[in-house]
Amino acid sequence: MNTIWSGIGLRLAATGLFAIMSLFVRMASFEAPVGQIVFWRSSVALLPIILYLMWRKEFPRALRTKRPWGHLKRSTYGCVSMFLSFISLAYLPLALATALGFLAPLIVIPVAILALRENPGWLVISATFGGFAGIFLILWPMISTPGLDHGTVVGIAAGIAFAITTAFAKVQIKALTTTEPSGTIAFYFAVICSIGGLLSLPLGWAPVSSENLIWLVGAGLTGGLAHIAMTEALARAPASTLSAFEYTAMIWAILLDVLVFGILPAPVSLIGGVVIVLAAAVVMFNDQLIALAQKHLRTFRCAKTNLPAE
């Protein structure tokens, strides 16, 4: 039990660190282009990742892999996803960008229905429609206002595209974890994203001021530490137990928006964000919800017929 609680604590810490990383990315975006931020976020993250592997006595042994193409494929999806996420953070408040990111598990559902002929059930399908309705609620204050801001449109489009690429990246991560340690996956992801960010150098990077250096380095360190905390959490508690705590990211995002930027989402946008989070939670815990409903239904029927519950 103590191990599970420590896993939950580490998962909460990882969520908080990712939220702070998003704040640093947004602060850095006021001066630096996205490619430059991706480079700093990824290259600086290598330091805590390597120290973590050394602490586990897995460095440099953990860098050996029999699946280089698998890492390249996963990291390419992840790198594109990071670019899109940072574009979204550059143009949108943290809460709205975070809410759009929760679309990832919902986007997988129609893809699975159309491409894989899967039948996920009425509860999941209803939650998917609810999630997309949440998008409409988030966007309503913006689309109902004449003269929609170009930057907002870019941020929304990037946020939705981020959710799509994240869904594909998670599939690749799942495939890699069957043979590759989490530290190895994190290391190669950071390396390939660093290269991806560096390739944007010819497009023009901004001079790094002392203040922006803090945001850039901070994004890298918090991102690297978040990956480590998440890895250690998964080593201590089941993924199904930890999944629910991922949604505390919305609380972090709203708090940081209010405390740092003095921004509180419009009530209808806030409701939309909550709807997306709830819909994603229903999709993730679909099996448990159905099992719980069936258990209560059996108890109710047994109570009516005076039979002992199973």
Side-chain angles (χ1 to χ4, degrees):
M1 182 60 71
N2 288 336
T3 301
I4 292 177
W5 279 110
S6 66
I8 291 172
L10 284 164
R11 186 63 184 91
L12 288 170
T15 304
L17 285 166
F18 276 128
I20 295 169
M21 182 205 76
S22 296
L23 171 64
F24 287 154
V25 168
R26 180 154 175 76
M27 299 297 289
S29 69
F30 296 145
E31 292 185 22
V34 169
Q36 186 175 5
I37 300 173
V38 168
F39 170 77
W40 279 86
R41 152 67 179 89
S42 304
S43 57
V44 173
L46 282 169
L47 177 61
I49 291 172
I50 290 172
L51 290 174
Y52 169 69
L53 292 173
M54 292 173 67
W55 174 67
R56 290 179 60 90
K57 297 181 172 57
E58 295 177 355
F59 187 84
R61 175 171 47 86
L63 306 188
R64 302 192 195 102
T65 177
K66 294 180 180 179
R67 302 179 64 184
W69 292 110
H71 284 287
L72 180 61
K73 192 175 180 181
R74 174 269 182 271
S75 297
T76 300
Y77 277 122
C79 190
V80 172
S81 180
M82 185 183 290
F83 267 92
L84 291 168
S85 171
F86 288 4
I87 291 171
S88 180
L89 287 167
Y91 288 103
L92 297 178
L94 296 176
L96 297 188
T98 300
L100 290 174
F102 281 118
L103 286 172
L106 302 176
I107 289 170
V108 174
I109 305 304
V111 173
I113 293 173
L114 296 174
L116 304 177
R117 306 295 181 187
E118 291 185 4
N119 182 18
W122 67 268
L123 185 61
V124 171
I125 293 174
S126 300
T128 303
F129 279 110
F132 289 117
I135 296 180
F136 179 78
L137 291 174
I138 283 179
L139 302 184
W140 177 248
M142 305 169 195
I143 62 179
S144 62
T145 303
L148 186 60
D149 179 67
H150 174 264
T152 302
V153 174
V154 171
I156 292 168
I160 294 172
F162 159 66
I164 294 171
T165 53
T166 297
F168 285 102
K170 285 186 175 182
V171 172
Q172 297 301 319
I173 293 171
K174 184 66 177 176
L176 274 178
T177 52
T178 57
T179 60
E180 302 290 288
S182 298
T184 307
I185 297 171
F187 176 83
Y188 285 111
F189 174 60
V191 169
I192 291 172
C193 284
S194 296
I195 296 170
L198 191 61
L199 291 175
S200 71
L201 180 59
L203 299 177
W205 282 11
V208 179
S209 65
S210 56
E211 182 180 356
N212 221 35
L213 181 63
I214 296 173
W215 310 134
L216 292 168
V217 173
L221 291 176
T222 50
L225 290 171
H227 275 293
I228 293 168
M230 192 161 57
T231 299
E232 285 295 310
L234 289 168
R236 288 167 167 78
S240 57
T241 302
L242 299 175
S243 297
F245 299 96
E246 181 177 349
Y247 301 105
T248 57
M250 276 300 297
I251 300 172
W252 277 100
I254 293 170
L255 284 175
L256 290 173
D257 267 341
V258 173
L259 295 175
V260 179
F261 302 106
I263 298 174
L264 184 64
V268 67
S269 294
L270 201 55
I271 292 171
V274 172
V275 168
I276 291 175
V277 170
L278 290 175
V282 168
V283 170
M284 186 167 291
F285 300 107
N286 172 58
D287 293 340
Q288 294 93 321
L289 290 171
I290 290 177
L292 185 62
Q294 290 174 340
K295 179 181 177 182
H296 283 297
L297 184 60
R298 284 195 301 268
T299 304
F300 176 73
R301 286 174 177 172
C302 291
K304 287 189 69 175
T305 56
N306 294 320
L307 292 174
E310 295 180 5

